[in-house]
Amino acid sequence: MDIETVNRFLNPDISMMQGVGDMEVTEEENTLAIQVGHIVTAKALKSGVDAVMPAIPDPEIPASVGQFHTFPYAMPASQQPYVVDDPVIQARLTRVYEQEQTGELEEPNSMVVACASSVCTSEQALDVKPQSSGERIVLYVCGGGFVSSDTALLKWHYVRVSQELGQRVFVPRYHVAPAHVFPRAIHDVYTAFMYLVNQGFRAQDITVLGISAGANIALAVVELLRIQKEPEPSRIVVVAPCVDLTLSMDSWMRNHDKCVLGYIPVDNPHSMPRVYYGDVESGVDVLAMLRHPLLSPLFGRVHTGPPLQIHSGTCDALADDAVALAQRVPHAELITYPGRNHYTILRGKQQLDAMYAHMRRFIQTPCSE
């Protein structure tokens, strides 16, 4: 496959993004997506997604559709130092915490607030504080294989989620590997959650929505909130979740030819988990380390957490991650989509309408029911 074909696929025209996936994927497009996904995986993990995918200009979102604003955020003074059970992870968390506390952390944090025009006005969208007592919001943790956390296409998607769920959507632009390795992304999203609570939002009014690698980070953040004895969000929704960084699930091989995700085993330093983790400390068994709940939430206390809804395509390389997560969490709701893979699960109007309907029902149902 020539590089021009790859670039055309990875850099669609901005005008095509406004449907945010409403157009159904053709068989030809799905085949091309799988081919491109397998080619790009190794390159993106080795050098970072920006080296593979040239930046797409931010799309202009008409005011009639919604608002999209970016604002800086910082760790609240009340945020406590991390205390975890593993000395290696403890050292990493302490380092990033102290760097932010002293202002030495590279690249400050920023967050997007997206709001459909049917949900709030431009002035309301700009206000980071609750619009009313008990305002419910979504903390959206986007995916990107731990090497990307924001694209122009997703900017439309944030507004679409706001429209569909009837809530403002806050999206932390967490820092990614290989420049910023574990646990920087977890710290960024954890701090975003604590920042929103510090601004007046109640934890019980926040739904955390995580996509793919973002689902991993989202569940790890909830695990860390539990460890820190901080209030947890009211609900968690995950789509195509990556929850086992040992990559031991059968679906990686079973669905290899059906999914856009390329497989690189964890003994390769260019594999997704290894790039996310970064340099391995002397004497550390990396495979054992990757089972830690902050890296693989499947092995944590997720079963004691908030209500959980899981969305997964049967042809996704991560399909078995979703099934294992549902089995681990008896109160979880698993919704599967036959024939959908990691790319097509968010494409097609009928597919998206069904997914958003499930999310609305789940989010709007009182927790006591």
Side-chain angles (χ1 to χ4, degrees), residues 19-96:
V20 196
D22 275 349
M23 291 184 64
E24 187 55 77
V25 178
T26 65
E27 185 175 345
E28 180 182 9
E29 181 185 353
N30 188 40
T31 300
L32 178 60
I34 293 170
Q35 293 173 349
V36 170
H38 290 187
I39 291 171
V40 166
T41 296
K43 294 181 179 179
L45 291 172
K46 181 180 293 186
S47 55
V49 74
D50 290 341
V52 181
M53 295 175 60
I56 304 172
D58 283 358
E60 292 292 331
I61 298 180
S64 59
V65 174
Q67 306 294 325
F68 175 91
H69 302 289
T70 303
F71 62 92
Y73 71 95
M75 187 171 70
S78 59
Q79 187 167 320
Q80 296 298 306
Y82 302 113
V83 179
V84 299
D85 58 0
D86 185 277
V88 173
I89 294 179
Q90 177 67 64
R92 288 188 175 213
L93 283 168
T94 297
R95 184 164 58 249
V96 72

Side-chain angles (χ1 to χ4, degrees), residues 16-275:
M16 297 173 62
M17 297 180 179
Q18 299 184 26
V20 196
D22 275 349
M23 291 184 64
E24 187 55 77
V25 178
T26 65
E27 185 175 345
E28 180 182 9
E29 181 185 353
N30 188 40
T31 300
L32 178 60
I34 293 170
Q35 293 173 349
V36 170
H38 290 187
I39 291 171
V40 166
T41 296
K43 294 181 179 179
L45 291 172
K46 181 180 293 186
S47 55
V49 74
D50 290 341
V52 181
M53 295 175 60
I56 304 172
D58 283 358
E60 292 292 331
I61 298 180
S64 59
V65 174
Q67 306 294 325
F68 175 91
H69 302 289
T70 303
F71 62 92
Y73 71 95
M75 187 171 70
S78 59
Q79 187 167 320
Q80 296 298 306
Y82 302 113
V83 179
V84 299
D85 58 0
D86 185 277
V88 173
I89 294 179
Q90 177 67 64
R92 288 188 175 213
L93 283 168
T94 297
R95 184 164 58 249
V96 72
Y97 177 90
E98 291 179 348
Q99 286 175 335
E100 173 143 348
Q101 191 177 47
T102 58
E104 299 173 11
L105 198 61
E106 294 181 8
E107 300 182 18
N109 294 321
S110 65
M111 188 162 12
V112 167
V113 56
C115 186
S117 58
S118 58
V119 175
C120 68
T121 65
S122 176
E123 291 76 15
Q124 290 171 328
L126 285 168
D127 191 351
V128 182
K129 295 184 179 295
Q131 301 296 310
S132 60
S133 176
E135 180 190 0
R136 299 174 69 181
I137 60 171
V138 174
L139 181 66
Y140 183 115
V141 189
C142 61
F146 303 105
V147 295
S148 174
S149 70
D150 197 26
T151 71
L153 175 57
L154 285 176
K155 292 175 175 63
W156 279 97
H157 186 60
Y158 305 152
V159 175
R160 173 71 175 271
V161 171
S162 173
Q163 177 184 0
E164 295 286 347
L165 301 183
Q167 299 178 18
R168 287 196 290 169
V169 176
F170 291 82
V171 190
R173 285 174 152 166
Y174 61 86
H175 292 77
V176 297
H180 304 280
V181 298
F182 169 86
R184 178 66 192 272
I186 293 174
H187 169 77
D188 289 350
V189 177
Y190 180 96
T191 298
F193 183 90
M194 297 301 293
Y195 175 85
L196 291 171
V197 170
N198 192 61
Q199 291 297 106
F201 293 100
R202 301 183 304 176
Q204 66 201 60
D205 294 323
I206 300 175
T207 294
V208 173
L209 169 60
I211 310 290
S212 187
N216 176 295
I217 295 166
L219 290 168
V221 165
V222 175
E223 177 82 14
L224 190 54
L225 286 167
R226 193 173 304 122
I227 292 171
Q228 296 290 105
K229 296 181 172 54
E230 295 288 356
E232 299 175 31
S234 65
R235 292 169 176 78
I236 307 171
V237 178
V238 293
V239 179
C242 173
V243 293
D244 176 12
L245 288 190
T246 68
L247 306 187
S248 59
M249 298 295 174
D250 291 343
S251 54
W252 277 104
M253 292 293 95
R254 187 178 69 249
N255 289 335
H256 180 265
D257 294 333
K258 305 173 186 175
C259 187
V260 297
L261 296 180
Y263 175 72
I264 302 176
V266 294
D267 59 1
N268 187 322
H270 297 308
S271 66
M272 175 181 66
R274 295 285 297 278
V275 171

Side-chain angles (χ1 to χ4, degrees), residues 20 22 140 156-165 209 309 311 337 346 348-364:
V20 196
D22 275 349
Y140 183 115
W156 279 97
H157 186 60
Y158 305 152
V159 175
R160 173 71 175 271
V161 171
S162 173
Q163 177 184 0
E164 295 286 347
L165 301 183
L209 169 60
Q309 186 182 67
H311 298 261
Y337 303 94
L346 289 176
K349 188 176 188 307
Q350 185 175 358
Q351 165 70 14
L352 289 175
D353 285 349
M355 181 177 291
Y356 287 130
H358 285 303
M359 288 184 186
R360 279 195 302 272
R361 169 186 51 77
F362 178 70
I363 291 173
Q364 293 171 3

